[in-house]
Amino acid sequence: MKIGYSFWGFLGAGITDSPDGGRSHRRPFIDAIQAAGHQVVFLQPDRDLVEAGDHIAAPYRFDSGLPDLDVLFTEWRWPIPGRNTTACGAQGHTCDLHRQAELLDHYTDGFGLPTIIWDKDRQLPLSDPLRSHRDVVVCEAAMTPSAGARSLLFPLDDALLDAADPVALAAQARPFPLSYIGNQYDRDEAFHRFFAPAAARLPHWVAGKWRDTRQWPHVTFVGRVPFREVSRMYGESLATVLLLPDRYAAVGQMTQRIFEAVLAGCLPLAPATIAHAARFVPDELIVKDGAEVVTAVHRLWSIAGTTEHADLIAACLAKLEVFRLSRQMQTLQAILAELAPLRPQTIGARR
């Protein structure tokens, strides 16, 4: 199939001052789609080139028009006041939302083209008519997706998972007992309950965009860091806490942070408030509050570099199997097979 793929982000490392969790998994996912025999054309601007100055070579193609397609696939964008809700050309405006609306109007509503919406941020309202549209399949990166939606988790490249060596990872020097990499967005409650109390008792750092930190003067915030630094920073950290917005935690939607951390040997502590927490980490890494974070980190510190430490990393790597790219591709291929009969039979039917 020829798949029109709409995303607002980067294929490469991109720029530091821009949130985009897809950097850790988008390119392997696209490569796997094309390796399966599909043709992918990107329908949003090439931000790697325009903003980061990176020329991502073929086999990637961008198209600012409305090319003939078999399927529209969009990483869902939502209104962000002052950014994509302003007029085109206004200062600070990004046109991701306008472009997405154009694509949905042209392909989904105009021609009844099969459409996959990947609601990666859980921003598509349950009442949105797209959820009941006959030509639309909604996917969510959750263990328990919304009614009618399909589970499509953030994919982890098989090669990276297979290459991870728990013994070598356990042997690395880890001068920082506790760390967190990620932005503040809707994480205040989880941060206040699980990370902040532990930060008062343990050496630590927090990287990411945190605009309002006044209630945590004892926490060391280091600001945003380049994407290429993420693996190195996790590689120097013994443990992290998997902080999720409530709307993620309630349905077991784990972000890419878990495999970024584990692949670097940084052990993830999962708040017990996360649905399906035991599917993401071993039971001994599930914590109920900040005090248990401290206790867990002290225990991990006591076994650092030992066989027990390596075994625990291996157990965390085994938990990542649920994210394996080849497994997520099976889900996508099944959806594409279901959508195939819905395609307009001729190009003329789309005009």
Side-chain angles (χ1 to χ4, degrees):
M1 294 184 179
K2 185 176 181 181
I3 301 172
Y5 196 104
S6 171
F7 73 96
W8 186 253
F10 304 95
L11 293 172
I15 59 176
T16 302
D17 191 26
S18 181
D20 179 24
R23 278 177 279 208
S24 66
H25 58 262
R26 184 178 294 114
R27 191 169 181 176
F29 186 50
I30 296 299
D31 289 347
I33 292 173
Q34 298 201 129
H38 305 292
Q39 180 184 353
V40 177
V41 55
F42 299 130
L43 300 174
Q44 295 273 4
D46 184 352
R47 295 183 66 197
D48 290 275
L49 180 61
V50 174
E51 298 180 39
D54 293 334
H55 180 71
I56 307 295
Y60 308 115
R61 174 190 163 197
F62 290 82
D63 194 318
S64 61
L66 297 167
D68 287 321
L69 303 172
D70 295 308
V71 173
L72 174 64
F73 188 120
T74 178
E75 294 184 14
W76 186 250
R77 302 301 299 165
W78 63 97
I80 303 175
R83 187 185 303 175
N84 59 15
T85 59
T86 55
C88 296
Q91 184 175 4
H93 175 77
T94 61
C95 221
D96 52 305
L97 192 63
H98 291 171
R99 175 60 167 167
Q100 179 177 266
E102 178 186 34
L103 297 173
L104 292 171
D105 180 66
H106 180 78
Y107 292 113
T108 312
D109 293 330
F111 299 125
L113 196 75
T115 299
I116 300 172
I117 293 175
W118 197 8
D119 186 17
K120 300 170 72 174
D121 291 271
R122 296 189 62 76
Q123 294 286 356
L124 181 66
L126 293 177
S127 59
D128 195 296
L130 284 167
R131 289 188 179 272
S132 57
H133 195 295
R134 65 177 298 274
D135 300 310
V136 173
V137 172
V138 175
C139 296
E140 298 173 357
M143 291 292 186
T144 310
S146 304
R150 309 286 276 276
S151 179
L152 181 64
L153 305 183
F154 300 126
L156 169 57
D157 192 344
D158 290 37
L160 293 178
L161 182 55
D162 293 339
D165 182 346
V167 174
L169 291 171
Q172 287 182 204
R174 298 184 182 275
F176 297 100
L178 185 64
S179 66
Y180 181 74
I181 300 177
N183 298 320
Q184 186 169 8
Y185 309 133
D186 301 321
R187 288 174 170 83
D188 284 27
E189 185 175 343
F191 187 85
H192 192 74
R193 177 176 175 181
F194 293 96
F195 194 95
R201 300 175 57 185
L202 296 167
H204 66 279
W205 48 259
V206 175
K209 185 176 182 179
W210 290 72
R211 288 182 171 175
D212 186 358
T213 61
R214 290 170 294 179
Q215 61 180 314
W216 309 298
H218 64 285
V219 176
T220 301
F221 293 93
V222 300
R224 276 181 164 161
V225 296
F227 179 70
R228 291 187 177 92
E229 290 292 297
V230 170
S231 179
R232 179 191 64 78
M233 296 175 77
Y234 276 133
E236 294 180 352
S237 304
L238 181 65
T240 189
V241 183
L242 300 171
L243 302 176
L244 299 178
D246 289 345
R247 68 181 186 278
Y248 290 7
V251 295
Q253 175 161 321
M254 184 55 62
T255 73
Q256 76 287 349
R257 297 301 181 194
I258 189 170
F259 49 80
E260 290 176 351
V262 175
L263 291 176
C266 179
L267 292 168
L269 302 176
T273 51
I274 298 174
H276 309 289
R279 295 193 65 181
F280 300 124
V281 302
D283 289 345
E284 62 193 285
L285 297 183
I286 298 176
V287 292
K288 295 179 180 178
D289 52 32
E292 289 199 359
V293 171
V294 174
T295 300
V297 172
H298 279 308
R299 179 183 174 275
L300 296 177
W301 195 262
S302 72
I303 66 170
T306 67
T307 299
E308 188 177 359
H309 186 199
D311 289 345
L312 191 51
I313 294 174
C316 289
L317 288 167
K319 293 286 186 179
L320 296 184
E321 286 290 333
V322 69
F323 299 100
R324 186 179 279 273
L325 173 58
S326 55
R327 181 171 177 169
Q328 303 311 313
M329 276 301 299
Q330 291 176 0
T331 298
L332 178 61
Q333 289 281 58
I335 293 172
L336 291 174
E338 293 173 16
L339 292 176
L342 301 178
R343 287 181 293 171
Q345 295 302 304
T346 65
I347 292 178
R350 302 184 221 167
R351 291 178 176 167

